[in-house]
Structure formats: C-alpha cells, structure tokens
Amino acid sequence: MLRPAANPARTPRTASFVPLIQREIERMIGTGELTGGTRINESTLALRLGISRGPVREACRALEQIGLLRSELNRGFFVREVSTKEALDLYDIRAGLFGTAGRLSAAIITTVQLRGLEELIGAMDAAIEAPDIATFYTLNNEFHRQVVVASDNDKLIELYPLLEAELHLFRRRGLVLPGSMRTSNDEHKAILDALRQSDGTGAARLLERHILAGKARFLRTLEDDSATEARPGPLDPRQSRSKDR
C-alpha cells in the first residue's frame, strides 16, 4: 500500500528519480570513477544519493538498454567494455551526425543559443587552466548536445543520446594527452565562429573534423603507455595504477 510522504524533505521511491540516477552513473563512467568491467554497487550508490535501491536498479536497466551497462544473473550490473572497433565505428557515425547538425544549426541558431555555446567555451577555458579534466569533460559533452539541439531536427536529437551514452565508455581517454583539452576547445571556438556567420558548409566541415580529431587522439592513447597509466580507461580494465600529470 502506498503511503503519502509526510516529510517533503525525504526522497520518495518514484520513477522521477530514475533519469537523475542515470545521469549520475553516466557522469561517473565518463569521469573515470567507474571503469569497464566494474560492478555497480547498488546499495552504496543508493546510500550516496539518499534513495532506495529500487530506482537505482531501474536506472541500471535503462542504461543496459542503451548499451552502457551489462547484467549478469545473480551478480548485478557491470560497466560494459567496448572493443576498439566499436569505438572507432562510433566515432565515424558521430562525425557524420555532427556534420549534419552543424549544417542545419548554422541556418537557424538563435542569439541565445550562440551565447550559451560561448559561455560553455569560457567555462572550458577555466577548466583547462585549473586543470580539471572531469569538469572539462562534462562541459564538452554539453557543448556537443547544444549544437545538436540547435539543429531543431527531432530525429537527430533523438539519435544523439543513444550514441553519446556508449561514448562515455572511452572518450575521456583522448583528453588525457598533453594539450588535448586546449586543442579541443580551440576547435569549439572555430565551430562557434562558423555558426555565428551562418556558414553551414564551414560548420559542417569543422564539426566533422572535430570528431575525427577526437578519434585520432583516442587512437594515440592506445599506443601511449603513459596516457593509459595516467588515466586507466574502460578499454583497458586491467590497468590498476594511476598517476597524476
């Protein structure tokens, strides 16, 4: 029997918390707190968020549906490990998607949306100076999301989060290389300039190059032992050492 919540400060077990929990797990994977093969400790996560285990389990099921987690009978949910080929295939698909988003957005992007992108770039500059890779990663994701939203293409907007979810499993690796965050944000600035000028062809070209540059950085990490040791990633779950740069 359902009981009314007498104390509004308490967090009820409702489906409305599931998306929030999903985003938190995605954030933890994206920032490297959870790596490939790691088991999701539902009890610890529920305690940390101040909720019951039910919504955590529902969020895990939803993340399994989009390919971010996998489940094992009687063992729970684990962060999925992605093969190198899967990762490279996703980069190629994203390059085409973002090229389309840039071309469409350039023609209709609003002043408010341009200002939002500019603010994100400024915040990323601050994260670079810190340096704070976790904050940069989150802001970087939001910059990409806002470019897609500015396209006003419902199907593109619907497809985007499905691709981005799996990218949390490995994309952060490319940002640990020296100078990568600065290079990435310089590319953001060039993209913003093209959007301001309503240059659809230029914006499409720059966004496609931006994604493919991320792919190239990712490939470099596979050959760069120092980067891998600095930030173990889901593609190399056996790495256990971590040292700050």
Side-chain angles (χ1 to χ4, degrees), residues 34-38 70 79-82 169 233-238:
L34 295 172
T35 58
T38 300
R70 61 178 175 81
V79 179
R80 196 164 72 83
E81 297 169 74
V82 176
L169 297 169
L235 285 174
D236 193 6
R238 293 169 296 178

Side-chain angles (χ1 to χ4, degrees), residues 89-102:
D89 286 349
L90 279 168
Y91 271 113
D92 290 337
I93 293 172
R94 287 178 72 243
L97 183 150
F98 274 98
T100 300

Side-chain angles (χ1 to χ4, degrees), residues 29 67-68 79-82 165-171 233-235:
I29 293 172
L68 202 55
V79 179
R80 196 164 72 83
E81 297 169 74
V82 176
E166 290 190 87
L167 282 170
H168 290 312
L169 297 169
F170 58 84
R171 189 172 64 193
L235 285 174

Side-chain angles (χ1 to χ4, degrees), residues 25 29 40 59-60 63-64 67-71 77-80:
I25 295 174
I29 293 172
I40 304 297
C60 287
L63 291 172
E64 182 182 25
L68 202 55
L69 302 181
R70 61 178 175 81
S71 63
F77 293 91
F78 296 79
V79 179
R80 196 164 72 83

